[in-house]
Amino acid sequence: MEEEKEKGIEDIFLDAKEYVDIRVEHIRLTAVEKGAKIFADLITNGTVILCFMLAFLFGTFTLALFLSDVLGNYTRGFGCVAGIYIVLAVIVYLTKDKFMEPGLINLFIRKYFDKVADKDDDDESK
């Protein structure tokens, strides 16, 4: 009888150890999956941002050349574009605390939770 109790306790400890090992492995794999999603998201968003920046840069250069042609002087054309950027920067600076930052914060939080919800939906479907 005593031997059966010891064997039962040993089985419980082995099962508990196996459970803990499986949970640790699951947590590790979940962390790797989330890290991979974040990394992939950073790469794709970085590529999109880079393309938009290049398009914006070339668009700005084109506008400056067009204004230079219209105004008859390169300095005036590029100066007008610089003035547009200065006005835009002042507007952004004055409105950033009230309008821009809360919107960006909400966007990032929503994006994160949408990714988490997608993972939960995948887990439920399995």
Side-chain angles (χ1 to χ4, degrees), residues 107-120:
L107 174 75
F108 292 135
I109 290 172
R110 193 175 316 115
K111 186 168 181 141
Y112 170 76
F113 281 114
D114 285 346
K115 289 212 180 277
V116 171
D118 288 345
K119 186 196 179 313
D120 291 341

Side-chain angles (χ1 to χ4, degrees), residues 15-28:
D15 288 344
K17 183 181 182 298
E18 184 179 348
Y19 175 76
V20 169
D21 290 342
I22 289 172
R23 287 295 297 167
V24 167
E25 182 69 14
H26 180 264
I27 290 170
R28 187 180 67 80

